[in-house]
Amino acid sequence: MLVSVLHLLAKKRLVLASSSPRRQELIKSMGLDIELCPSTFEENLDYHDFKEFSNFVEATAAGKAEEVYQRLHETDPTADLLVIGADTMVTLGDEVYGKPKNPTDAVRMLTNLSGKCNRTHTGIVIRHSKGSRAFTEFTDVYFGELTKEQIQHYVDSGEPLDKAGAYGIQGIGGSLIRKIDGDYYCVMGLPLHRLCKELCLLLEQSEADSV
């Protein structure tokens, strides 16, 4: 999908406002050279202040992208920056599951998710010289029935402790999941198809405006 705009992307400084090597590798898998720049944006927004979960994850992603964009622009005003911010959250009904505070919290989350369908929301913001584009994708994730021992062994592996919902679909956590309905990469924290689509639209529009 990106083949038609690769020549335009090559002229930009692509930055991921994140410390996630997982997200970086996903973008690199599409043939793009992108650098990691962790944001200092304080993720203290309250989802209760937002009408929809999508508004919340997009606001957090926007905060990350804007902080990095402004910081890098100050150090190199001539660079044609394109900064991607992302934020992922998991919900079960009206309850929100972020990253667990500790192993005990991870056990609590996974116990609640066992045998149920949770929803992963990933918000993306693409910050560029003329503004930004934002979108949210979601995927329903169906967990199998888990025993206490299975949950504890998974938590003891350490994998869940830095992940929203206390699980990662691409690792050991994939064995806990019975099926999904939606984009697999959304659960990983970066919905590739939608991201590529939005990048194409953005760059094609920019090229048309410059003619």
Side-chain angles (χ1 to χ4, degrees):
M1 182 186 294
L2 288 176
V3 174
S4 62
V5 295
L6 283 178
H7 64 293
L8 299 174
L9 284 169
K11 300 176 183 178
K12 297 185 179 295
R13 181 182 178 186
L14 298 178
V15 180
L16 184 61
S18 171
S19 60
S20 171
R22 181 178 69 255
R23 286 187 173 119
Q24 183 186 37
E25 285 305 313
L26 284 176
I27 294 177
K28 283 188 172 183
S29 71
M30 298 185 292
L32 301 179
D33 185 19
I34 190 163
E35 59 186 278
L36 285 180
C37 184
S39 175
T40 61
F41 175 73
E42 188 174 358
E43 298 180 45
N44 60 357
L45 300 179
D46 187 343
Y47 71 90
H48 293 103
D49 295 334
F50 296 86
K51 189 174 182 180
E52 303 288 345
F53 289 131
S54 59
N55 301 142
F56 171 73
V57 288
E58 285 177 23
T60 302
K64 295 177 184 178
E66 186 65 26
E67 187 279 323
V68 169
Y69 183 92
Q70 294 299 335
R71 175 155 44 100
L72 296 182
H73 180 69
E74 287 179 8
T75 58
D76 185 5
T78 63
D80 191 358
L81 284 170
L82 195 156
V83 178
I84 299 172
D87 188 61
T88 299
M89 66 182 294
V90 170
T91 59
L92 181 64
D94 294 331
E95 187 174 0
V96 172
Y97 291 73
K99 295 178 182 178
K101 299 180 180 67
N102 49 49
T104 300
D105 195 32
V107 169
R108 177 191 66 84
M109 290 184 183
L110 292 165
T111 300
N112 291 345
L113 297 179
S114 174
K116 300 185 181 73
C117 172
N118 67 80
R119 176 165 287 185
T120 297
H121 312 250
T122 294
I124 301 290
V125 170
I126 306 169
R127 177 68 164 93
H128 53 95
S129 60
K130 296 182 181 179
S132 62
R133 299 178 76 93
F135 67 88
T136 298
E137 290 286 297
F138 66 84
T139 296
D140 288 331
V141 181
Y142 295 79
F143 266 55
E145 295 285 351
L146 309 177
T147 66
K148 291 181 179 179
E149 290 76 16
Q150 288 170 334
I151 291 172
Q152 190 61 58
H153 287 156
Y154 180 49
V155 172
D156 289 345
S157 76
E159 183 180 272
L161 301 181
D162 66 341
K163 294 175 175 59
Y167 70 89
I169 193 171
Q170 74 281 7
I172 304 170
S175 65
L176 313 179
I177 295 167
R178 183 166 58 85
K179 69 174 183 177
I180 67 170
D181 184 7
D183 184 355
Y184 172 87
Y185 293 106
C186 176
V187 187
M188 286 187 68
L190 199 75
L192 289 183
H193 176 77
R194 182 70 184 277
L195 176 60
C196 290
K197 180 179 179 180
E198 295 295 333
L199 284 172
C200 285
L201 291 172
L202 169 62
L203 294 169
E204 288 168 356
Q205 183 61 53
S206 297
E207 188 176 42
D209 291 343
S210 64
V211 174

Coordinates of all heavy atoms in Angstrom, one line a residue, residues 21-71:
P21 N 10.2 -1.0 21.2 CA 10.9 -1.6 20.0 C 9.9 -2.5 19.2 O 10.1 -2.7 18.0 CB 12.0 -2.5 20.7 CG 11.6 -2.7 22.1 CD 10.8 -1.5 22.5
R22 N 8.9 -3.0 19.9 CA 7.9 -3.8 19.2 C 7.2 -3.0 18.1 O 7.0 -3.4 17.0 CB 6.9 -4.3 20.2 CG 5.8 -5.2 19.6 CD 4.8 -5.7 20.7 NE 4.0 -4.7 21.3 CZ 4.2 -4.1 22.5 NH1 5.2 -4.5 23.2 NH2 3.4 -3.2 22.9
R23 N 6.7 -1.8 18.5 CA 6.1 -0.9 17.5 C 7.1 -0.5 16.4 O 6.7 -0.4 15.2 CB 5.5 0.3 18.2 CG 4.2 0.1 19.0 CD 3.6 1.4 19.5 NE 2.3 1.2 20.1 CZ 2.0 1.5 21.4 NH1 3.0 1.9 22.2 NH2 0.8 1.3 21.9
Q24 N 8.3 -0.2 16.8 CA 9.3 0.2 15.8 C 9.5 -0.9 14.8 O 9.6 -0.7 13.6 CB 10.6 0.5 16.5 CG 11.7 1.0 15.6 CD 13.0 1.2 16.3 OE1 13.4 0.4 17.1 NE2 13.8 2.2 15.9
E25 N 9.6 -2.2 15.3 CA 9.8 -3.3 14.4 C 8.7 -3.5 13.4 O 8.8 -3.9 12.3 CB 10.1 -4.6 15.1 CG 11.5 -4.6 15.8 CD 12.6 -4.5 14.7 OE1 12.5 -5.1 13.7 OE2 13.5 -3.6 15.0
L26 N 7.5 -3.2 13.9 CA 6.3 -3.4 13.0 C 6.3 -2.4 11.9 O 6.1 -2.7 10.7 CB 5.0 -3.1 13.9 CG 4.5 -4.3 14.8 CD1 3.3 -3.8 15.6 CD2 4.2 -5.5 13.9
I27 N 6.7 -1.1 12.2 CA 6.8 -0.1 11.2 C 8.0 -0.4 10.2 O 7.9 -0.3 9.0 CB 7.0 1.3 11.8 CG1 5.7 1.7 12.5 CG2 7.3 2.3 10.7 CD1 5.8 3.0 13.2
K28 N 9.1 -0.9 10.8 CA 10.3 -1.2 9.9 C 9.9 -2.4 9.0 O 10.5 -2.5 7.9 CB 11.5 -1.6 10.8 CG 12.2 -0.4 11.4 CD 13.5 -0.8 12.1 CE 14.3 0.5 12.5 NZ 15.6 0.1 13.1
S29 N 9.0 -3.3 9.4 CA 8.6 -4.4 8.6 C 7.9 -4.0 7.3 O 7.8 -4.8 6.4 CB 7.7 -5.4 9.4 OG 6.4 -4.8 9.6
M30 N 7.5 -2.7 7.3 CA 6.8 -2.2 6.1 C 7.8 -1.5 5.2 O 7.5 -0.9 4.2 CB 5.7 -1.2 6.5 CG 4.6 -1.8 7.3 SD 3.3 -0.6 7.6 CE 4.0 0.5 8.7
G31 N 9.1 -1.6 5.5 CA 10.2 -1.0 4.7 C 10.5 0.4 5.1 O 11.1 1.1 4.3
L32 N 10.0 0.9 6.2 CA 10.3 2.3 6.6 C 11.3 2.4 7.7 O 11.4 1.6 8.6 CB 9.0 2.9 7.2 CG 7.8 2.9 6.2 CD1 6.6 3.5 6.9 CD2 8.1 3.7 4.9
D33 N 12.2 3.4 7.5 CA 13.2 3.7 8.5 C 12.6 4.7 9.5 O 12.4 5.8 9.2 CB 14.5 4.2 7.8 CG 15.6 4.4 8.8 OD1 15.6 3.8 9.9 OD2 16.5 5.2 8.5
I34 N 12.4 4.2 10.7 CA 11.8 5.1 11.7 C 12.6 5.1 13.0 O 13.1 4.0 13.4 CB 10.3 4.7 12.0 CG1 9.7 5.8 12.9 CG2 10.2 3.4 12.6 CD1 8.1 5.7 12.8
E35 N 12.8 6.2 13.7 CA 13.6 6.2 14.9 C 12.6 6.3 16.1 O 11.5 6.8 16.0 CB 14.5 7.4 14.9 CG 13.8 8.8 14.7 CD 14.8 9.9 14.6 OE1 15.3 10.4 15.6 OE2 15.0 10.3 13.4
L36 N 13.1 5.8 17.2 CA 12.4 5.8 18.5 C 12.8 7.1 19.2 O 13.9 7.4 19.4 CB 12.7 4.6 19.4 CG 12.0 3.3 19.0 CD1 12.5 2.2 20.0 CD2 10.5 3.4 18.9
C37 N 11.8 7.8 19.8 CA 12.0 8.9 20.6 C 10.9 8.9 21.7 O 9.8 9.4 21.5 CB 11.9 10.3 19.8 SG 12.4 11.7 20.8
P38 N 11.2 8.4 22.9 CA 10.2 8.3 23.9 C 9.7 9.7 24.3 O 10.5 10.6 24.5 CB 11.0 7.6 25.1 CG 12.1 6.9 24.4 CD 12.5 7.7 23.2
S39 N 8.4 9.8 24.5 CA 7.8 11.1 24.9 C 7.9 11.3 26.4 O 7.8 10.3 27.2 CB 6.4 11.1 24.4 OG 5.7 12.3 24.9
T40 N 8.0 12.5 26.8 CA 8.0 12.9 28.2 C 6.6 13.3 28.7 O 6.4 13.7 29.8 CB 9.0 14.0 28.5 OG1 8.6 15.2 27.8 CG2 10.4 13.6 28.2
F41 N 5.6 13.2 27.8 CA 4.2 13.5 28.1 C 3.8 12.7 29.3 O 3.9 11.5 29.3 CB 3.3 13.3 26.9 CG 1.9 13.5 27.1 CD1 1.4 14.8 27.3 CD2 1.0 12.4 27.2 CE1 0.0 15.0 27.5 CE2 -0.4 12.6 27.5 CZ -0.8 13.9 27.6
E42 N 3.2 13.4 30.3 CA 2.7 12.7 31.5 C 1.4 12.1 31.2 O 0.4 12.8 30.9 CB 2.7 13.7 32.6 CG 2.3 13.0 34.0 CD 2.4 13.9 35.1 OE1 2.7 15.1 34.9 OE2 2.1 13.5 36.3
E43 N 1.3 10.8 31.2 CA 0.1 10.1 30.9 C -0.9 10.0 32.1 O -1.1 9.0 32.7 CB 0.4 8.7 30.4 CG 1.2 8.6 29.1 CD 1.5 7.3 28.6 OE1 0.6 6.4 28.6 OE2 2.7 7.0 28.3
N44 N -1.4 11.2 32.4 CA -2.3 11.3 33.6 C -3.7 11.7 33.2 O -4.4 12.2 34.1 CB -1.7 12.2 34.6 CG -1.5 13.6 34.0 OD1 -1.8 13.9 32.8 ND2 -1.0 14.5 34.8
L45 N -4.1 11.5 32.0 CA -5.5 11.9 31.6 C -6.5 10.9 32.3 O -6.1 9.7 32.4 CB -5.6 11.9 30.1 CG -4.7 12.8 29.3 CD1 -5.0 12.6 27.8 CD2 -5.0 14.3 29.7
D46 N -7.6 11.4 32.6 CA -8.7 10.6 33.2 C -9.7 10.2 32.2 O -10.3 11.1 31.6 CB -9.3 11.3 34.4 CG -10.3 10.5 35.2 OD1 -10.7 9.4 34.7 OD2 -10.7 10.9 36.3
Y47 N -9.9 8.9 31.9 CA -10.8 8.5 30.8 C -12.2 8.9 31.2 O -13.1 9.0 30.3 CB -10.7 7.0 30.6 CG -11.2 6.1 31.7 CD1 -12.5 5.7 31.7 CD2 -10.4 5.6 32.7 CE1 -13.0 4.9 32.6 CE2 -10.9 4.8 33.7 CZ -12.2 4.4 33.7 OH -12.7 3.6 34.6
H48 N -12.5 9.1 32.4 CA -13.9 9.6 32.8 C -14.2 10.9 32.2 O -15.4 11.3 32.1 CB -14.0 9.6 34.3 CG -13.9 8.3 35.0 ND1 -12.8 7.9 35.7 CD2 -14.9 7.3 35.1 CE1 -13.0 6.7 36.1 NE2 -14.3 6.3 35.8
D49 N -13.2 11.7 31.8 CA -13.4 13.0 31.3 C -13.7 13.0 29.8 O -13.9 14.1 29.2 CB -12.1 13.9 31.5 CG -11.8 14.2 33.0 OD1 -12.8 14.1 33.8 OD2 -10.7 14.4 33.3
F50 N -13.7 11.8 29.2 CA -13.9 11.7 27.8 C -15.2 10.9 27.5 O -15.6 10.0 28.2 CB -12.8 11.0 27.1 CG -11.5 11.7 27.2 CD1 -10.7 11.6 28.3 CD2 -11.1 12.6 26.2 CE1 -9.5 12.3 28.5 CE2 -9.9 13.3 26.3 CZ -9.1 13.2 27.4
K51 N -15.9 11.3 26.4 CA -17.2 10.7 26.1 C -17.0 9.3 25.6 O -17.9 8.4 25.9 CB -17.9 11.6 25.0 CG -19.3 11.2 24.7 CD -20.0 12.1 23.7 CE -21.4 11.8 23.5 NZ -22.1 12.7 22.5
E52 N -16.0 9.1 24.9 CA -15.7 7.7 24.3 C -14.3 7.3 24.7 O -13.4 8.1 24.8 CB -15.9 7.8 22.8 CG -17.2 8.2 22.3 CD -18.3 7.2 22.5 OE1 -18.0 6.1 22.8 OE2 -19.5 7.6 22.4
F53 N -14.1 6.0 24.7 CA -12.7 5.4 25.0 C -11.8 5.9 23.9 O -10.6 6.1 24.1 CB -12.8 3.9 25.1 CG -13.4 3.4 26.3 CD1 -14.4 2.4 26.3 CD2 -13.1 3.9 27.6 CE1 -15.0 1.9 27.4 CE2 -13.6 3.4 28.7 CZ -14.6 2.4 28.7
S54 N -12.3 6.0 22.6 CA -11.5 6.4 21.5 C -11.0 7.8 21.7 O -9.8 8.1 21.3 CB -12.3 6.3 20.2 OG -13.4 7.1 20.2
N55 N -11.8 8.7 22.3 CA -11.3 10.0 22.5 C -10.2 10.1 23.5 O -9.2 10.8 23.4 CB -12.4 10.9 23.1 CG -13.6 11.0 22.1 OD1 -14.8 11.0 22.5 ND2 -13.4 11.0 20.8
F56 N -10.2 9.2 24.5 CA -9.2 9.1 25.5 C -7.9 8.6 24.9 O -6.8 9.2 25.2 CB -9.7 8.1 26.6 CG -8.6 7.8 27.6 CD1 -8.2 8.8 28.6 CD2 -8.0 6.6 27.7 CE1 -7.2 8.4 29.5 CE2 -7.0 6.2 28.6 CZ -6.6 7.2 29.5
V57 N -7.9 7.5 24.2 CA -6.6 7.0 23.7 C -6.0 7.9 22.6 O -4.8 8.1 22.5 CB -6.7 5.6 23.1 CG1 -6.9 4.6 24.2 CG2 -7.8 5.4 22.1
E58 N -6.9 8.6 21.8 CA -6.4 9.6 20.9 C -5.8 10.8 21.5 O -4.7 11.3 21.1 CB -7.5 10.0 19.9 CG -7.9 8.9 18.9 CD -9.0 9.4 18.0 OE1 -9.3 10.6 17.9 OE2 -9.7 8.5 17.5
A59 N -6.4 11.2 22.7 CA -5.8 12.4 23.4 C -4.5 12.0 24.0 O -3.5 12.9 23.9 CB -6.8 12.8 24.5
T60 N -4.3 10.8 24.5 CA -3.0 10.4 25.0 C -2.0 10.3 23.9 O -0.8 10.7 24.1 CB -3.1 9.1 25.8 OG1 -4.1 9.2 26.9 CG2 -1.8 8.7 26.4
A61 N -2.4 9.7 22.8 CA -1.5 9.6 21.7 C -1.1 10.9 21.1 O 0.1 11.2 20.8 CB -2.1 8.7 20.6
A62 N -2.0 11.9 21.1 CA -1.7 13.2 20.7 C -0.8 13.9 21.6 O 0.1 14.6 21.1 CB -3.0 14.0 20.6
G63 N -0.9 13.7 22.9 CA 0.0 14.3 23.8 C 1.4 13.8 23.6 O 2.4 14.6 23.7
K64 N 1.6 12.6 23.4 CA 2.9 12.0 23.2 C 3.5 12.5 21.9 O 4.7 13.0 21.8 CB 2.8 10.5 23.0 CG 2.4 9.7 24.3 CD 2.3 8.2 24.0 CE 1.8 7.5 25.2 NZ 1.6 6.0 24.9
A65 N 2.7 12.5 20.8 CA 3.2 13.0 19.5 C 3.6 14.5 19.5 O 4.6 14.9 18.9 CB 2.2 12.7 18.4
E66 N 2.7 15.3 20.1 CA 3.0 16.7 20.2 C 4.2 17.1 20.9 O 5.0 17.9 20.5 CB 1.8 17.4 20.8 CG 1.8 19.0 20.7 CD 1.8 19.5 19.3 OE1 1.3 18.8 18.4 OE2 2.3 20.6 19.1
E67 N 4.4 16.4 22.1 CA 5.6 16.7 22.9 C 6.9 16.4 22.1 O 7.8 17.2 22.1 CB 5.6 15.9 24.2 CG 6.7 16.2 25.2 CD 8.0 15.6 24.9 OE1 8.0 14.4 24.4 OE2 9.0 16.3 25.1
V68 N 6.9 15.3 21.5 CA 8.1 14.9 20.7 C 8.3 15.8 19.5 O 9.4 16.2 19.2 CB 8.0 13.4 20.2 CG1 9.1 13.1 19.2 CG2 8.1 12.5 21.4
Y69 N 7.2 16.1 18.8 CA 7.3 17.0 17.6 C 7.9 18.3 18.0 O 8.8 18.8 17.3 CB 5.9 17.2 17.0 CG 5.9 18.0 15.7 CD1 6.0 17.4 14.5 CD2 5.9 19.4 15.8 CE1 6.1 18.1 13.3 CE2 5.9 20.1 14.6 CZ 6.0 19.5 13.4 OH 6.1 20.3 12.2
Q70 N 7.4 18.9 19.1 CA 7.8 20.3 19.5 C 9.3 20.2 19.9 O 10.1 21.1 19.6 CB 7.0 20.8 20.6 CG 5.5 21.1 20.2 CD 5.4 22.2 19.1 OE1 6.3 23.0 18.9 NE2 4.3 22.1 18.3
R71 N 9.7 19.2 20.6 CA 11.1 19.1 21.1 C 12.0 18.9 19.9 O 13.1 19.6 19.9 CB 11.1 17.9 22.1 CG 12.5 17.5 22.6 CD 12.5 16.8 23.9 NE 11.5 15.8 24.0 CZ 11.8 14.5 23.8 NH1 13.0 14.1 23.5 NH2 10.8 13.6 23.9

